[in-house]
Amino acid sequence: MSEMADAIHALIAEKGVSEDSVKRTVENAIKAAYKRTYGQSENCIVKFADDLSEVYVYARKTIVDGVYDPSQEIELEEALQYSEECEVGDEIDILLDPHNFERSAVSTGKQTAHQGLNESFKENLYSEYKDKIGEIIIGYYQREHNGSIYVDLGKVEGFLPSKFQSPRETYEKNDRIKALITDIKRTNNGIQLVLSRTDPKFVENIVELEVPEVQDKTIEIYKVVREAGYRTKIAVYSNKAGVDAVGSCVGIKGQRIQNVIRELEGEKIDVLEYNEDPHVFIANALSPAEVKRVVIKDAEKREALAVVSDEAFSLAIGKQGQNVRLANKLCDWNIDVKTEDQVSEADLTENENLRAAAEELFTENPEEEVALVSELPGVDERVAEILRNSGLDDIEVFVNAVEDGSVQKIEGLTQDDIETLNKIISENVEFADEDEVSEEEGEAEEEEYFCPDCGAKISLDMTHCPACGVELVFEEN
């Protein structure tokens, strides 16, 4: 195989470009040299041998009787030397020797070829990496300039700006760097990948690599928020009954989450369970602080109050407000944290809202009694489902189960759930004692008397009927 074929195959292997791209580049270079020599290249024809061992250059000319433009026309007599069957008006391809091109034309061709190969190389790289935005890539520290780090990624260069670096991290030459691809840019030398180690998506991808249940979608990551270098909060939930989303992400003895923490150079991570009920989700989001109660102050404005103990207050707020700030981002609620002593009656609008909802329910249905726990305002749907499945949805049955302690044995029902239900029931349901009801009914019967003559209502202290004047005589029972 000739040097031509060797050179083409070397370019394909080195630059990663296709054979067609190299052939097209060589063709363009030859046409550029042809144009430099003959003033135009419209009639330049380039052909390659099947094994790429040779490249042939032709000038396609029109056969005429009297040449006006030698670069595009040829006399019939001269054309007959190439083909005996040609005649005036035909076109004929004349084989040229590229070595006869002007030296400056050859230089122009080389420059065109070089530019063409670079463009093909860039385009191939761009096509290869444009779909990898949002993925993790690994490279090695190359150099630093003005706080930004340049990363050797093999075929391409990575750029890790200082604003996308964690304040916990420092690097030295040849250090391994794992980062998220956030953007791709074209440069004079090829392309450059913009990297980040502060993006929440970076943590999400690291967790996915460590937790097989996240990879197979058994567990979903609802949202990740972070202040890089300080704290990250990850909300997860399970798509499969019986799978502990938080436990799976943390791993046995915390091994899985420790791997993530090591990758983040010791950054604190809170893994918590996502819940559709904002009361539960907000309480979870404020971890590691324990929340006593969550009050929805304004659902439309997404404003909530979290009540904590005095001891948990600083933990719920976090250093410089970091914990509650991240909880706000995670839940997309504006959360106000107060201690039990700081909470005023004006803050606790939730109870009044529940009572108002109950009053509205009874006003709209005055003859319909609410007998089921699930019909009461403020009952979590998860808890209601557990009660229905356990046969405890009836309010009276539930109250009796609480008194005899059997409700404690219901799987999935926590002590907090039971206390919350008791509170809702006490605020919205009135239980009448049977003896009191009988006594009241008896008193009502004794107080209602009617005149035997006209039927008018009378009382025991009357001697005559106020309607007809008949004398009243009461017999003792």
Side-chain angles (χ1 to χ4, degrees), residues 25-26 28-34 36 102-116:
T25 300
V26 173
N28 290 338
I30 292 173
K31 286 186 175 181
Y34 184 98
R36 181 84 176 181
E102 295 179 1
R103 180 172 296 181
S104 60
V106 174
S107 177
T108 300
K110 287 182 179 180
Q111 185 177 359
T112 302
H114 183 70
Q115 291 175 349

Side-chain angles (χ1 to χ4, degrees), residues 124-293:
N124 282 352
L125 285 178
Y126 190 87
S127 299
E128 181 180 347
Y129 285 96
K130 69 178 180 180
D131 295 329
K132 294 186 178 182
I133 293 177
E135 295 182 6
I136 295 287
I137 196 168
I138 298 174
Y140 294 90
Y141 179 98
Q142 194 173 39
R143 69 185 189 279
E144 181 266 339
H145 180 68
N146 293 334
S148 297
I149 295 173
Y150 292 85
V151 183
D152 181 6
L153 299 172
K155 293 192 227 178
V156 296
E157 182 180 66
F159 177 65
L160 182 60
S162 57
K163 64 180 179 179
F164 293 157
Q165 300 172 33
S166 168
R168 287 178 172 269
E169 300 166 354
T170 55
Y171 299 100
E172 296 180 357
K173 190 170 179 62
N174 295 325
D175 278 354
R176 174 180 171 277
I177 297 178
K178 182 184 288 185
L180 182 80
I181 303 174
T182 61
D183 197 7
I184 180 171
K185 295 181 178 179
R186 300 178 189 269
T187 66
N188 292 333
N189 298 324
I191 64 168
Q192 187 179 74
L193 303 183
V194 181
L195 308 177
S196 173
R197 283 183 55 85
T198 60
D199 196 299
K201 182 74 175 174
F202 176 67
V203 178
E204 186 175 331
N205 285 10
I206 297 297
V207 172
E208 185 174 345
L209 292 173
E210 292 292 337
V211 184
E213 292 86 348
V214 175
Q215 294 179 32
D216 64 22
K217 304 300 181 184
T218 300
I219 293 172
E220 297 272 3
I221 297 177
Y222 171 73
K223 192 175 183 181
V224 177
V225 295
R226 70 184 296 218
E227 292 190 5
Y230 303 101
R231 184 179 288 276
T232 290
K233 287 185 180 288
I234 308 171
V236 296
Y237 63 93
S238 173
N239 288 322
K240 187 176 181 181
V243 175
D244 179 5
V246 175
S248 297
C249 292
V250 172
I252 299 174
K253 296 183 180 180
Q255 183 176 356
R256 289 176 174 177
I257 201 65
Q258 282 301 321
N259 291 338
V260 180
I261 291 173
R262 275 194 292 272
E263 181 61 49
L264 301 183
E265 302 289 343
E267 184 175 317
K268 293 179 181 178
I269 298 179
D270 300 326
V271 183
L272 54 101
E273 188 168 6
Y274 166 71
N275 195 295
E276 292 182 353
D277 184 348
H279 298 80
V280 179
F281 189 31
I282 289 171
N284 292 346
L286 286 168
S287 66
E290 183 179 346
V291 177
K292 297 285 186 181
R293 184 181 177 192

Side-chain angles (χ1 to χ4, degrees), residues 236-420:
V236 296
Y237 63 93
S238 173
N239 288 322
K240 187 176 181 181
V243 175
D244 179 5
V246 175
S248 297
C249 292
V250 172
I252 299 174
K253 296 183 180 180
Q255 183 176 356
R256 289 176 174 177
I257 201 65
Q258 282 301 321
N259 291 338
V260 180
I261 291 173
R262 275 194 292 272
E263 181 61 49
L264 301 183
E265 302 289 343
E267 184 175 317
K268 293 179 181 178
I269 298 179
D270 300 326
V271 183
L272 54 101
E273 188 168 6
Y274 166 71
N275 195 295
E276 292 182 353
D277 184 348
H279 298 80
V280 179
F281 189 31
I282 289 171
N284 292 346
L286 286 168
S287 66
E290 183 179 346
V291 177
K292 297 285 186 181
R293 184 181 177 192
V294 173
V295 179
I296 304 301
K297 299 172 70 175
D298 192 323
E300 289 187 3
K301 294 181 180 178
R302 299 180 73 82
E303 295 177 352
L305 169 67
V307 182
V308 299
S309 64
D310 292 340
E311 295 78 12
F313 181 73
S314 60
L315 193 60
I317 296 297
K319 187 176 181 181
Q320 298 179 343
Q322 184 186 88
N323 195 59
V324 69
R325 188 163 58 247
L326 286 174
N328 286 347
K329 293 179 182 178
L330 189 66
C331 300
D332 196 25
W333 280 75
N334 184 17
I335 306 170
D336 184 18
V337 179
K338 290 186 178 182
T339 65
E340 294 169 301
D341 293 338
Q342 292 173 335
V343 173
S344 65
E345 283 300 320
D347 292 321
L348 303 180
T349 58
E350 183 184 46
N351 287 343
E352 294 180 8
N353 290 341
L354 289 175
R355 283 195 290 270
E359 288 173 6
E360 182 179 350
L361 177 65
F362 292 124
T363 302
E364 292 176 354
N365 307 283
E367 297 179 358
E368 182 182 344
E369 293 185 3
V370 177
L372 303 179
V373 177
S374 57
E375 294 177 350
L376 293 172
V379 176
D380 184 81
E381 180 57 35
R382 175 185 64 83
V383 176
E385 183 66 23
I386 293 174
L387 293 179
R388 281 193 290 267
N389 294 337
S390 305
L392 297 179
D393 195 19
D394 184 276
I395 294 175
E396 191 170 344
V397 173
F398 174 79
V399 171
N400 291 336
V402 172
E403 292 177 355
D404 63 27
S406 61
V407 73
Q408 309 282 353
K409 302 175 183 177
I410 302 301
E411 186 177 352
L413 207 60
T414 66
Q415 186 60 36
D416 287 342
D417 293 334
I418 297 171
E419 291 176 0
T420 301

Side-chain angles (χ1 to χ4, degrees), residues 32-48:
Y34 184 98
K35 184 176 182 179
R36 181 84 176 181
T37 301
Y38 299 107
Q40 52 80 34
S41 61
E42 287 78 7
N43 65 327
C44 179
I45 308 299
V46 180
K47 295 180 181 180
F48 293 86

